[in-house]
Amino acid sequence: MVTIRLHNSRTRAKEVFAPIDPQNVRVYVCGPTVYDRAHLGNARPVVVFDTLFRLLRHVYGAGHVTYVRNFTDVDDKINATALARQQAGAAGTLEALIAERTEETIRWYHEDMDALGALRPTHEPRATGYIAEMIAMIAGLIAGGHAYSRDGHVLFRVRSFKDYGRLSGRSVDDMIAGARVEVAPFKEDPMDFVLWKPSDDSLPGWESPWGRGRPGWHIECSAMSLALLGASFDIHGGGIDLQFPHHENEVAQSCCAHPEAEFARVWMHNEMLQVEGKKMSKSLGNFFTVRDLLGQGVPGEVIRFVFLGTHYGRPMDWTAEKAAQAERTLDWLYSTVGDVPLQEEWTPNEKVVQALADNLNTSLAITELIEQAKSVLPKGHPSADGSDEVGALELKRTAALLGLLQSTETEWKATKLGGVDLAPYAARLGALREAAMASKDFAPVDAMKAALVAAGVEVRMSKAGVELLPGPGFDAAKLEGLV
RNA sequence: GGCGGGUUGGCGGAGAGGUUACGCAGCGGAUUGCAAAUCCGUGAAGACCGGUUCGAUUCCGGUACCCGCCUCCA
């Protein structure tokens, strides 16, 4: 059995991972609020925890890991979007418009995350499907003295949980001293947070013991993890920005609702994404979605490769240069695996497994994958005894742990070409070259080659002939008129 | 103001108290119409100041700078 070590944010230490039940390893990751397309930052935890999911499935068996990632479909941003559509003249009730908005956003999310090679989690619960469970948990918290209702609101009594602030390393008193907390008249303590809030007729709402209303943000994850994974489970993941207040509040709610349990044993937080060295934000004009990149012809696998190149615990900088480099590396890796199929029975490279088992060191894992690719196919040419195919199969199986090289080389090239056939261009260039060899006037060949390179095509000429490959930044439009 | 993370060779980015990370780029060579790709070889590092140690880029302390969270942006 492979020993997995994970950095636990709760204890601030790297620990040997020992699941509560090896027959059912349970992971919960905070998913998106479905009000718009996922931006690039949203994709990082998806790729990080997908890789963890793959590792756990490898170690404990594919059928012995339960991975839950929620959709938050109760949120004021969704309401605002729906309201804006209604005011713009869209037909239907507000509720129908909200449903429409969340449905389409979830569909987009699936399309985009699929493109990144992320497996679908075992369960993808929606908050709206667990309102009853949330109400039950809130009622229990009130009964236990951990929450109170005021003016249609229900608030969590932060002072009732002695460990409040432990996960994120803060003290309630310090935070209040920081004076950045909302001071609402109905709060006993400025740090108390909302479990339930009233909805007026213009907002979606559900009947509850405290009147018609809707849940606060944090309670959904507590209710859904309880329903799908139980009061104690193994790993809880999410972005570091969620550590406070979201995760801190989850801990408080869940531990007070089920003091007999331990809630999440291991907390994992991925660091944030930056773009060209700066925080991605709309005001800086460097804000973009996963779909934007895919639409620009950046393959999803390139995005994944770039993400995995930096350890999840460190800030990751997305740059165009990294993307181009990743694409070249993937070109090379695909040229070594070719079109061999993925066969699960092959054993993945032990060094890659060890790298991942050491707190998900994906950067080192990729290095080992590249080393493996070099060693199994040192020349990059077919061997007579078929050892290159065995090597390719092993490499493919190893890459699967990282969610990489899941296509065939042919499919990979086709993705990049977007339906363009380079054969006529290769034929034309080959003909020009043959003519030039005879005439000694290479100007026409060089001109066409330069045009192809400008279009992002990699040009390889050997005695055997001409080979054209789509490279980073391939742009079919620039091929106009070359044949 | 409170809390947390970071600073590695031209760029990206890991591990490890003492032995080549690795990739890209560079340089020399083979090959090529010229290139590309490939192959062979090669230089280059750990913000600053102290401390611990036989020995620190790796441990400890301090300084500087950068970044994140504390504002339902992952």
Side-chain angles (χ1 to χ4, degrees), chain A residues 195-453:
Chain A
L195 296 171
W196 189 265
K197 52 192 169 186
S199 292
D200 63 32
D201 292 341
S202 73
L203 291 169
W206 291 263
E207 289 308 321
S208 80
W210 318 286
R212 183 173 177 278
R214 59 198 197 284
W217 174 38
H218 320 293
I219 193 69
E220 59 178 69
C221 289
S222 288
M224 291 188 282
S225 64
L226 176 67
L228 294 165
L229 298 176
S232 300
F233 57 94
D234 298 296
I235 299 170
H236 194 309
I240 187 71
D241 58 321
L242 290 181
Q243 191 178 39
F244 189 90
H246 184 56
H247 292 159
E248 194 70 57
N249 293 353
E250 270 189 65
V251 170
Q253 293 159 351
S254 293
C255 289
C256 288
H258 290 273
E260 79 290 355
E262 50 189 333
F263 194 42
R265 278 192 173 180
V266 179
W267 282 85
M268 291 176 71
H269 290 103
N270 63 275
E271 255 291 352
M272 309 299 278
L273 174 129
Q274 298 183 318
V275 174
E276 305 285 352
K278 292 179 179 166
K279 176 175 174 162
M280 182 165 76
S281 71
K282 288 178 180 171
S283 59
L284 286 173
N286 63 353
F287 182 95
F288 52 89
T289 64
V290 174
R291 178 53 48 182
D292 290 336
L293 283 179
L294 295 173
Q296 288 161 20
V298 178
E301 190 165 359
V302 167
I303 299 172
R304 185 181 185 99
F305 193 94
V306 170
F307 279 12
L308 295 180
T310 299
H311 185 90
Y312 77 86
R314 297 210 176 197
M316 199 217 79
D317 195 18
W318 172 271
T319 65
E321 173 56 30
K322 273 188 183 178
Q325 214 176 89
E327 188 164 336
R328 281 186 218 107
T329 304
L330 283 167
D331 281 340
W332 175 71
L333 284 169
Y334 267 115
S335 76
T336 65
V337 297
D339 287 346
V340 300
L342 175 62
Q343 293 180 7
E344 291 290 338
E345 56 266 33
W346 289 93
T347 304
N349 178 352
E350 192 57 26
K351 286 185 175 177
V352 171
V353 175
Q354 287 303 329
L356 291 175
D358 183 13
N359 194 29
L360 227 52
N361 192 338
T362 51
S363 177
L364 186 60
I366 285 178
T367 294
E368 296 295 358
L369 187 76
I370 288 170
E371 289 298 309
Q372 183 187 7
K374 286 196 294 197
S375 69
V376 295
L377 292 166
K379 307 292 183 195
H381 297 298
S383 61
D385 62 1
S387 64
D388 58 315
E389 182 167 350
V390 169
L393 287 163
E394 289 174 346
L395 187 63
K396 186 113 174 169
R397 176 67 188 95
T398 303
L401 272 183
L402 292 160
L404 296 172
L405 307 184
Q406 298 306 283
S407 308
T408 63
E409 183 182 21
T410 302
E411 289 164 346
W412 165 251
K413 284 183 191 165
T415 300
K416 302 213 303 176
L417 285 168
V420 176
D421 184 6
L422 290 178
Y425 300 92
R428 168 94 176 134
L429 186 64
L432 284 175
R433 184 163 175 252
E434 279 193 38
M437 296 289 245
S439 71
K440 299 298 175 196
D441 176 12
F442 291 93
V445 194
D446 289 339
M448 180 164 184
K449 191 177 82 176
L452 287 167
V453 169

